[in-house]
Amino acid sequence: MTHSHDHRLTSLFDLVVRSGDSRAAARLTEQAAEDSLTLEWTRQALLSLLRSGGGGHELRNAAELLTELEAIRRRHQARRIADHRSQFTGLRSLLAHLRGASWAERPYVVTDRLCQDLGFRKSVYSPASTSGWSPTTIAIHPELGDSFTPLRRAIETLSLPPGAAPREEEVMRSGRAIAVDSIDVYRNTYRPLVELSRPRGYLAVPVVSAGRVTALLHADHHDVDVDEADMMTLRAAATVCALTEEHETLRSAIVTRNHRVAEEITAMRTALDELEQTQLSLAEALGTESERPDCSDGPVRALHCTALTAREHEIFEFVAHGAPSADIARALFVSEGTVKSHIQRIYRKLAVSTRAEAAALYRKSHRQGRGRC
């Protein structure tokens, strides 16, 4: 509370107690309802006056004002107790909503749950990276109405320059949460946003996932100071966010790895099936087969033809009819590379080097009555 503010409050207090000014009493009561420091200062001044004694009308005015302030104080306490009770179930609600949310939806889920289930009046989600942070999403409790439309618009279009908020940047570097009281609220932070928000202090808590700060959570009660219980709640909410992020990252990595393993297993099975069907000799496999016999037209080539496996006969027939390797692969549900490997083995066994030669051999073998190669 500044000196000028303290002087105005003292003058207003004197008008109420010394003169019984009803309009001054209404103004003082309204300020106390909105400002916890004003409420506490006025309570202590009234209690001091009642203890010291004084004129009868002053004591009566003081007692009446104190009764109104105590009613305000009880309402604040009742609201705070209700908020704390709801925070336990609110964390469960946050976790449940995050589990079903996409990456794009999560900032909205977090800020909405902080205000609806966890007792805060305003909350902001700011994604963070190695280059910095910037607010993107805000939620405001329905009780505050439309008073913060300019704040919403500012966050929607904000691009926070480096060095604009030293306090939050320290949270980014250290990974430690901070609580800012009402006296310190405008220092070392981004003043334009604070002036639009007008909080009675606020909390800034990092979301630390896999050892890295991935976001900042801001929250406040607007007209009531934040306390240690609020800090514990917001830290718990940040932990829920971090665990959800880590779980999603791990699940995505497992899914990707499973796909790769499945592809590798499929490729191995295909290779084993092909190896089982082929009659490739050890010498051929090692690339050291002896010189092929003369493969001029005649019985020798027919013998080569009978050495083809069932799959090679099938592919040879496709080749003889002019089918490209890609079409053969689609027809047989194998890769184009597999088809090309089969064709090379067929060429070696039949002692041909081109598709034209293979087609000619196929037609000749059928004309000679040898059946299919």
Side-chain angles (χ1 to χ4, degrees), residues 80-93 114 117-120 221 227 229-234 236:
R80 182 59 60 83
I81 291 171
D83 287 344
H84 291 338
R85 286 176 176 172
S86 69
Q87 286 169 349
F88 293 102
T89 55
L91 289 170
R92 288 186 178 181
S93 175
L114 286 174
D117 296 333
L118 293 170
F120 294 103
H221 289 298
D227 59 20
D230 295 320
M231 175 63 82
M232 292 175 62
T233 298
L234 196 58

Short mmCIF file of all heavy atoms in Angstrom, two decimals, residues 80-93 114 117-120 221 227 229-234 236:
data_model
loop_
_atom_site.label_atom_id
_atom_site.label_comp_id
_atom_site.label_asym_id
_atom_site.label_seq_id
_atom_site.Cartn_x
_atom_site.Cartn_y
_atom_site.Cartn_z
N ARG A 80 -12.62 -19.12 -0.29
CA ARG A 80 -11.30 -19.76 -0.34
C ARG A 80 -11.37 -21.22 0.10
O ARG A 80 -10.75 -22.10 -0.52
CB ARG A 80 -10.33 -18.98 0.56
CG ARG A 80 -8.89 -19.54 0.55
CD ARG A 80 -8.30 -19.53 -0.84
NE ARG A 80 -8.24 -18.22 -1.42
CZ ARG A 80 -7.27 -17.34 -1.18
NH1 ARG A 80 -6.26 -17.65 -0.38
NH2 ARG A 80 -7.27 -16.17 -1.77
N ILE A 81 -12.12 -21.53 1.16
CA ILE A 81 -12.26 -22.92 1.61
C ILE A 81 -12.92 -23.77 0.53
O ILE A 81 -12.50 -24.90 0.25
CB ILE A 81 -13.07 -22.97 2.92
CG1 ILE A 81 -12.25 -22.37 4.07
CG2 ILE A 81 -13.48 -24.40 3.25
CD1 ILE A 81 -13.04 -22.18 5.34
N ALA A 82 -13.96 -23.21 -0.09
CA ALA A 82 -14.63 -23.95 -1.16
C ALA A 82 -13.68 -24.19 -2.33
O ALA A 82 -13.69 -25.27 -2.94
CB ALA A 82 -15.86 -23.17 -1.63
N ASP A 83 -12.85 -23.18 -2.62
CA ASP A 83 -11.87 -23.35 -3.70
C ASP A 83 -10.88 -24.46 -3.39
O ASP A 83 -10.57 -25.29 -4.25
CB ASP A 83 -11.12 -22.03 -3.93
CG ASP A 83 -11.99 -20.98 -4.61
OD1 ASP A 83 -13.05 -21.34 -5.16
OD2 ASP A 83 -11.61 -19.79 -4.57
N HIS A 84 -10.37 -24.48 -2.16
CA HIS A 84 -9.39 -25.50 -1.80
C HIS A 84 -10.01 -26.90 -1.84
O HIS A 84 -9.35 -27.86 -2.25
CB HIS A 84 -8.84 -25.22 -0.40
CG HIS A 84 -7.97 -24.00 -0.35
ND1 HIS A 84 -7.35 -23.49 -1.45
CD2 HIS A 84 -7.61 -23.19 0.69
CE1 HIS A 84 -6.64 -22.43 -1.12
NE2 HIS A 84 -6.79 -22.21 0.19
N ARG A 85 -11.25 -27.01 -1.41
CA ARG A 85 -11.90 -28.32 -1.47
C ARG A 85 -12.05 -28.80 -2.90
O ARG A 85 -11.89 -29.99 -3.21
CB ARG A 85 -13.28 -28.24 -0.80
CG ARG A 85 -13.23 -28.17 0.71
CD ARG A 85 -14.62 -28.02 1.30
NE ARG A 85 -14.59 -28.03 2.77
CZ ARG A 85 -15.65 -27.77 3.53
NH1 ARG A 85 -16.81 -27.45 2.96
NH2 ARG A 85 -15.54 -27.82 4.85
N SER A 86 -12.38 -27.86 -3.78
CA SER A 86 -12.60 -28.25 -5.18
C SER A 86 -11.29 -28.59 -5.89
O SER A 86 -11.29 -29.27 -6.92
CB SER A 86 -13.30 -27.12 -5.93
OG SER A 86 -12.44 -26.00 -6.09
N GLN A 87 -10.15 -28.11 -5.35
CA GLN A 87 -8.89 -28.33 -6.01
C GLN A 87 -8.51 -29.81 -6.06
O GLN A 87 -7.88 -30.26 -7.02
CB GLN A 87 -7.79 -27.51 -5.33
CG GLN A 87 -7.89 -26.03 -5.66
CD GLN A 87 -7.00 -25.16 -4.81
OE1 GLN A 87 -6.43 -25.61 -3.81
NE2 GLN A 87 -6.88 -23.89 -5.17
N PHE A 88 -8.88 -30.57 -5.05
CA PHE A 88 -8.55 -32.00 -5.04
C PHE A 88 -9.25 -32.73 -6.18
O PHE A 88 -8.62 -33.50 -6.92
CB PHE A 88 -8.92 -32.61 -3.68
CG PHE A 88 -8.09 -32.09 -2.54
CD1 PHE A 88 -8.59 -31.15 -1.68
CD2 PHE A 88 -6.79 -32.55 -2.35
CE1 PHE A 88 -7.82 -30.65 -0.63
CE2 PHE A 88 -6.01 -32.07 -1.31
CZ PHE A 88 -6.54 -31.12 -0.44
N THR A 89 -10.55 -32.49 -6.30
CA THR A 89 -11.28 -33.13 -7.40
C THR A 89 -10.93 -32.49 -8.73
O THR A 89 -10.99 -33.13 -9.78
CB THR A 89 -12.79 -33.03 -7.16
OG1 THR A 89 -13.15 -31.66 -6.97
CG2 THR A 89 -13.19 -33.82 -5.94
N GLY A 90 -10.54 -31.20 -8.70
CA GLY A 90 -10.17 -30.51 -9.93
C GLY A 90 -8.96 -31.10 -10.61
O GLY A 90 -8.89 -31.17 -11.84
N LEU A 91 -7.99 -31.56 -9.84
CA LEU A 91 -6.80 -32.18 -10.43
C LEU A 91 -7.16 -33.48 -11.13
O LEU A 91 -6.62 -33.80 -12.20
CB LEU A 91 -5.75 -32.44 -9.35
CG LEU A 91 -5.06 -31.18 -8.80
CD1 LEU A 91 -4.21 -31.53 -7.58
CD2 LEU A 91 -4.20 -30.53 -9.89
N ARG A 92 -8.08 -34.23 -10.56
CA ARG A 92 -8.55 -35.45 -11.24
C ARG A 92 -9.25 -35.11 -12.54
O ARG A 92 -9.07 -35.78 -13.56
CB ARG A 92 -9.51 -36.21 -10.33
CG ARG A 92 -8.85 -36.90 -9.15
CD ARG A 92 -9.87 -37.75 -8.41
NE ARG A 92 -9.26 -38.46 -7.31
CZ ARG A 92 -9.93 -39.29 -6.52
NH1 ARG A 92 -11.23 -39.48 -6.71
NH2 ARG A 92 -9.31 -39.91 -5.53
N SER A 93 -10.05 -34.06 -12.50
CA SER A 93 -10.75 -33.62 -13.71
C SER A 93 -9.76 -33.18 -14.78
O SER A 93 -9.92 -33.52 -15.96
CB SER A 93 -11.71 -32.47 -13.37
OG SER A 93 -12.31 -31.95 -14.53
N LEU A 114 -8.23 -24.93 -14.83
CA LEU A 114 -7.68 -24.12 -13.74
C LEU A 114 -8.73 -23.15 -13.20
O LEU A 114 -8.79 -22.89 -12.00
CB LEU A 114 -6.44 -23.36 -14.20
CG LEU A 114 -5.16 -24.18 -14.39
CD1 LEU A 114 -4.06 -23.32 -14.99
CD2 LEU A 114 -4.69 -24.78 -13.07
N ASP A 117 -12.34 -25.73 -12.30
CA ASP A 117 -12.26 -26.80 -11.29
C ASP A 117 -11.25 -26.53 -10.18
O ASP A 117 -11.32 -27.17 -9.13
CB ASP A 117 -11.90 -28.13 -11.96
CG ASP A 117 -12.97 -28.60 -12.92
OD1 ASP A 117 -14.14 -28.25 -12.71
OD2 ASP A 117 -12.64 -29.32 -13.89
N LEU A 118 -10.29 -25.64 -10.42
CA LEU A 118 -9.20 -25.47 -9.47
C LEU A 118 -9.21 -24.13 -8.74
O LEU A 118 -8.27 -23.79 -8.04
CB LEU A 118 -7.85 -25.68 -10.17
CG LEU A 118 -7.64 -27.13 -10.64
CD1 LEU A 118 -6.43 -27.23 -11.54
CD2 LEU A 118 -7.50 -28.06 -9.46
N GLY A 119 -10.27 -23.35 -8.90
CA GLY A 119 -10.49 -22.20 -8.04
C GLY A 119 -9.85 -20.89 -8.45
O GLY A 119 -9.99 -19.89 -7.75
N PHE A 120 -9.11 -20.86 -9.56
CA PHE A 120 -8.49 -19.60 -9.97
C PHE A 120 -9.48 -18.77 -10.77
O PHE A 120 -10.45 -19.28 -11.33
CB PHE A 120 -7.23 -19.88 -10.78
CG PHE A 120 -6.14 -20.53 -9.98
CD1 PHE A 120 -5.88 -21.89 -10.10
CD2 PHE A 120 -5.38 -19.80 -9.07
CE1 PHE A 120 -4.89 -22.52 -9.35
CE2 PHE A 120 -4.39 -20.40 -8.32
CZ PHE A 120 -4.14 -21.76 -8.46
N HIS A 221 -6.11 -15.01 -8.44
CA HIS A 221 -7.48 -14.92 -7.93
C HIS A 221 -8.10 -13.54 -8.18
O HIS A 221 -9.15 -13.22 -7.64
CB HIS A 221 -7.51 -15.21 -6.43
CG HIS A 221 -7.24 -16.64 -6.10
ND1 HIS A 221 -8.05 -17.68 -6.51
CD2 HIS A 221 -6.23 -17.23 -5.38
CE1 HIS A 221 -7.57 -18.83 -6.06
NE2 HIS A 221 -6.47 -18.58 -5.39
N ASP A 227 -1.84 -17.85 -2.24
CA ASP A 227 -1.17 -18.35 -1.05
C ASP A 227 -0.44 -19.66 -1.35
O ASP A 227 -0.39 -20.11 -2.50
CB ASP A 227 -2.16 -18.53 0.11
CG ASP A 227 -3.29 -19.50 -0.23
OD1 ASP A 227 -3.13 -20.32 -1.16
OD2 ASP A 227 -4.32 -19.46 0.46
N ALA A 229 -1.18 -22.71 -0.58
CA ALA A 229 -2.05 -23.78 -1.10
C ALA A 229 -2.27 -23.63 -2.60
O ALA A 229 -2.32 -24.62 -3.34
CB ALA A 229 -3.39 -23.76 -0.36
N ASP A 230 -2.40 -22.39 -3.06
CA ASP A 230 -2.55 -22.15 -4.49
C ASP A 230 -1.29 -22.59 -5.24
O ASP A 230 -1.38 -23.17 -6.33
CB ASP A 230 -2.80 -20.67 -4.76
CG ASP A 230 -4.12 -20.18 -4.20
OD1 ASP A 230 -5.11 -20.93 -4.30
OD2 ASP A 230 -4.16 -19.06 -3.65
N MET A 231 -0.14 -22.30 -4.66
CA MET A 231 1.10 -22.71 -5.29
C MET A 231 1.18 -24.23 -5.41
O MET A 231 1.56 -24.78 -6.45
CB MET A 231 2.29 -22.17 -4.50
CG MET A 231 3.66 -22.65 -5.01
SD MET A 231 4.02 -22.10 -6.69
CE MET A 231 4.61 -20.44 -6.34
N MET A 232 0.81 -24.94 -4.35
CA MET A 232 0.82 -26.39 -4.39
C MET A 232 -0.12 -26.91 -5.47
O MET A 232 0.20 -27.86 -6.20
CB MET A 232 0.43 -26.95 -3.02
CG MET A 232 1.45 -26.69 -1.93
SD MET A 232 0.87 -27.25 -0.30
CE MET A 232 0.68 -29.00 -0.60
N THR A 233 -1.28 -26.28 -5.58
CA THR A 233 -2.26 -26.71 -6.58
C THR A 233 -1.74 -26.50 -7.99
O THR A 233 -1.84 -27.39 -8.85
CB THR A 233 -3.58 -25.94 -6.40
OG1 THR A 233 -4.12 -26.24 -5.11
CG2 THR A 233 -4.59 -26.33 -7.46
N LEU A 234 -1.19 -25.32 -8.25
CA LEU A 234 -0.71 -25.04 -9.61
C LEU A 234 0.50 -25.90 -9.95
O LEU A 234 0.66 -26.32 -11.10
CB LEU A 234 -0.37 -23.55 -9.74
CG LEU A 234 -0.22 -23.05 -11.19
CD1 LEU A 234 -1.50 -23.29 -11.99
CD2 LEU A 234 0.15 -21.57 -11.22
N ALA A 236 0.94 -28.92 -8.83
CA ALA A 236 0.37 -30.23 -9.12
C ALA A 236 -0.23 -30.26 -10.53
O ALA A 236 -0.08 -31.25 -11.26
CB ALA A 236 -0.70 -30.58 -8.09
#
